[in-house]
Amino acid sequence: MLRQIIVTLCWLPLSLLALPAQADSAATAAPARQGGAMFKIQRAGHSAYVFGTIHVGRADFYPFDDKVLQAMQHSSAIALEIDPGNAQGLAELMTKYGIYPNGKSLAQELPPPLLQQLNPLLEKYGLTLDAVASMKPWLLATMLGFSEYTHQGYLAQYGVDVTLAAYAKKQGKPVVELETAEQQLSLLGKLTPAEQIQFLQDSIDEILDPAKAQRSLQLMTLWRNGDVDGLAAMLAELTSDDTFTGKFVQRALLDKRNPGLADGIARLTSATPHAFIGIGMLHLVGKNSVLAMLRQRGYTVSRVY
């Protein structure tokens, strides 16, 4: 479940480069609430809207709620973690950080028991070991996470960030990047080989554990309901354990990225009136969240959806 949450709410570049696939799950009726949570931030006469996104989705996530649509329409710019439109740049960085050089292969690096666990999952998702042989373990772990969400009916093409970027392009609004893809991908690409293998092991264990798979679906329900308290409780649970992945979430997702996101939002709101900001929902919950840091900088933060 930890890997699934990282994939869904934290690492936008990885969703943009997911393998194309079709959802296996049957469509269900859309709930009354379309999902996410939106906050208005204000300081010294400047204001902006901050919306919690999710990096995979379904067609019935849309259209956005009227309050969200109005904030988007009145915005002068759409700010995201990164610009999803730069696919070529993302592909180059993925090669830099996620692909083995000089003919080295995944099969040479993984312990035999892990390879035995991996093969049935690859078959489940229509992949082969040859197709993923050049991927480093962290990239394969991400691919498995997206493949499992696709199997459950949630696709990267319906991710909220991608939808916001497409809206900005259609309306002629600039897309502002709060981070760079290299900043995000380097956090994963610089893991040691042993850490990457543990990351992959965690991912496989979660996919194969029915209870953890169910928690991944619960995450979707929390996002659809805009349940900020529920998401904060889930994040606290995940970052309180002593596993490698739990520590990585705390160190890489929260400690390294949230301060930079808060700084970027502060700079943006000072220079750009009425910006609409979309970042992964987990960055907006918990005691060390981006919103908490903005409050510390003197912003008034109020939830409006």
Side-chain angles (χ1 to χ4, degrees):
M1 192 245 312
L2 249 168
R3 272 292 319 141
Q4 301 284 74
I5 287 177
I6 293 171
V7 164
T8 313
L9 294 175
C10 309
W11 300 107
L12 177 55
L14 307 181
S15 67
L16 302 177
L17 295 174
L19 290 175
Q22 297 296 317
D24 294 330
S25 300
T28 57
R33 194 180 192 284
Q34 291 302 86
M38 186 170 69
F39 303 83
K40 187 174 185 178
I41 61 171
Q42 297 174 285
R43 186 184 72 175
H46 299 278
S47 65
Y49 288 98
V50 182
F51 184 64
T53 67
I54 194 165
H55 302 329
V56 297
R58 297 192 318 201
D60 65 10
F61 280 22
Y62 309 101
F64 290 115
D65 181 86
D66 286 346
K67 290 182 179 179
V68 179
L69 286 173
Q70 289 172 11
M72 293 165 56
Q73 290 164 0
H74 294 151
S75 67
S76 55
I78 303 292
L80 303 169
E81 295 168 27
I82 64 169
D83 182 358
N86 186 13
Q88 180 177 351
L90 287 171
E92 292 172 353
L93 288 169
M94 193 67 70
T95 298
K96 176 180 178 179
Y97 289 109
I99 301 299
Y100 283 119
N102 304 323
K104 194 175 182 180
S105 73
L106 191 70
Q108 296 170 342
E109 295 294 300
L110 299 185
L114 183 53
L115 276 173
Q116 290 179 358
Q117 285 184 298
L118 176 61
N119 285 325
L121 283 181
L122 293 176
E123 184 177 352
K124 174 183 177 181
Y125 303 134
L127 300 169
T128 65
L129 188 58
D130 286 343
V132 301
S134 63
M135 293 182 181
K136 292 183 179 179
W138 75 261
L139 181 54
L140 177 57
T142 300
M143 188 67 66
L144 294 177
F146 276 110
S147 297
E148 180 60 23
Y149 264 115
T150 296
H151 186 69
Q152 295 172 0
Y154 297 95
L155 306 180
Q157 70 197 58
Y158 293 123
V160 175
D161 308 77
V162 173
T163 302
L164 289 174
Y167 170 84
K169 182 177 180 180
K170 183 177 181 180
Q171 297 298 320
K173 298 178 185 286
V175 175
V176 178
E177 291 187 307
L178 298 173
E179 298 180 300
T180 67
E182 181 143 22
Q183 286 174 321
Q184 289 198 11
L185 292 176
S186 66
L187 292 172
L188 289 164
K190 292 179 180 178
L191 293 174
T192 68
E195 289 171 336
Q196 291 191 39
I197 290 172
Q198 185 60 55
F199 211 41
L200 177 58
Q201 183 69 68
D202 289 348
S203 180
I204 291 175
D205 290 344
E206 288 159 15
I207 292 172
L208 296 177
D209 187 324
K212 291 179 179 178
Q214 187 59 39
R215 289 293 300 278
S216 298
L217 293 178
Q218 180 189 358
L219 170 67
M220 290 295 183
T221 300
L222 292 172
W223 184 85
R224 291 301 295 256
N225 292 339
D227 188 348
V228 172
D229 291 339
L231 286 166
M234 181 176 285
L235 181 60
E237 176 188 345
L238 297 177
T239 56
S240 64
D241 66 45
D242 198 37
T243 64
F244 164 75
T245 310
K247 292 178 179 179
F248 177 77
V249 170
Q250 182 69 48
R251 183 181 74 248
L253 170 65
L254 302 177
D255 296 343
K256 287 193 175 181
R257 292 183 61 205
N258 282 359
L261 287 168
D263 289 343
I265 290 172
R267 288 192 298 269
L268 176 68
T269 55
S270 296
T272 305
H274 312 301
F276 183 96
I277 300 157
I279 59 175
M281 189 74 169
L282 283 190
H283 296 294
L284 303 182
V285 302
K287 63 180 181 179
N288 296 318
S289 71
V290 169
L291 294 178
M293 293 177 180
L294 290 173
R295 289 189 180 98
Q296 293 170 1
R297 288 162 168 76
Y299 283 85
T300 299
V301 179
S302 56
R303 183 169 179 177
V304 294
Y305 169 69

